[in-house]
Amino acid sequence: MLLLAFDTATPAITAAVHDGTAVVAESTVVDARRHGELLLPSVDKVLAEAGASLSDVTGVVVGVGPGPYTGLRVGLVTAAAFGDALGVPVHGLCTLDGLAHAAGASGTVGEGPFVVATDARRKEVYWARYEGPGRRVTDPAVDRPADIAERVAGLPAVGAGAALYPEVFTDVRPPADQSAGALASLAAQRLATGGEFLPALPLYLRRPDAQVPAGYKAVLPK
């Protein structure tokens, strides 16, 4: 098994290679505006560090969000292209689950409840609640932090979104950014146990920022 994993649903452009036992290479660059420019060089880098080529990959793992439209689609389109070109499966995972898995693996959270929150912009967060690193108990959602303050009060929180609102998330712990290594490890675990994956489709939770202006008039041929 050789899994190629990446995620562009957050400002972290992150890629990793997992050999079925452990992460053998990983690269993460935080840049909210350059997902399209940085993803493929990151993939090339981790494959080279792993001593592998793209043709060695037996499966692609991709974070499906939630995340902003522009960045998220870069990873999903790339995953679909690789899957089609290589004839390998594409395994979708919730981006928040990757952060939760990383927090559990590093020991920053235990088996009790905690929250993962990433920055959704517009003064909102994408978030979900967990009962231990492998047990998400709410669907991913997008909300203003003040609107969920009672639901997350006193809970440990991980993710860069939580760090932006310390008045709501009062116990912020690492990691802040997504890790493709953690995403790949979670995928390897699920593959070994027959766990389920998500379709490699974008989890937006709200309409894209770019929209056709109101009052736009189509010009029809005469």
Side-chain angles (χ1 to χ4, degrees):
M1 177 191 294
L2 195 72
L3 298 175
L4 172 63
F6 45 85
D7 195 325
T8 59
T10 73
I13 301 95
T14 179
V17 173
H18 194 290
D19 65 3
T21 301
V23 175
V24 293
E26 182 173 7
S27 171
T28 299
V29 179
V30 179
D31 190 326
R33 297 182 180 275
R34 299 177 63 206
H35 295 84
E37 297 174 48
L38 296 175
L39 178 57
L40 290 181
S42 296
V43 168
D44 288 342
K45 178 181 179 182
V46 295
L47 286 171
E49 289 181 0
S53 66
L54 197 56
S55 61
D56 297 320
V57 172
T58 61
V60 176
V61 181
V62 63
V64 302
Y69 175 78
T70 304
L72 179 55
R73 66 178 178 173
V74 170
L76 289 168
V77 169
T78 303
F82 283 167
D84 184 60
L86 300 172
V88 300
V90 178
H91 306 295
L93 287 173
C94 175
T95 295
L96 303 179
D97 290 354
L99 278 158
H101 185 80
S106 64
T108 58
V109 298
E111 291 302 317
F114 68 97
V115 176
V116 175
T118 60
D119 184 15
R121 305 173 186 171
R122 302 183 190 175
K123 299 181 180 180
E124 294 178 330
V125 293
Y126 297 116
W127 73 284
R129 176 171 169 151
Y130 294 76
E131 293 291 337
R135 290 187 56 215
R136 176 160 47 81
V137 294
T138 66
D139 289 332
V142 58
D143 288 290
R144 289 183 177 271
D147 293 340
I148 60 171
E150 292 185 3
R151 300 171 65 183
V152 304
L155 295 179
V158 301
L164 291 173
Y165 304 97
E167 70 281 4
V168 173
F169 302 98
T170 56
D171 183 8
V172 178
R173 305 179 185 183
D177 296 310
Q178 175 68 306
S179 159
L183 204 68
S185 295
L186 177 58
Q189 184 182 95
R190 291 193 181 181
L191 286 168
T193 60
E196 295 183 353
F197 292 91
L198 298 173
L201 299 173
L203 185 60
Y204 292 134
L205 301 187
R206 68 184 182 203
R207 295 178 62 83
D209 290 337
Q211 298 181 26
V212 176
Y216 174 81
K217 295 183 179 179
V219 177
L220 300 176
K222 294 183 179 180

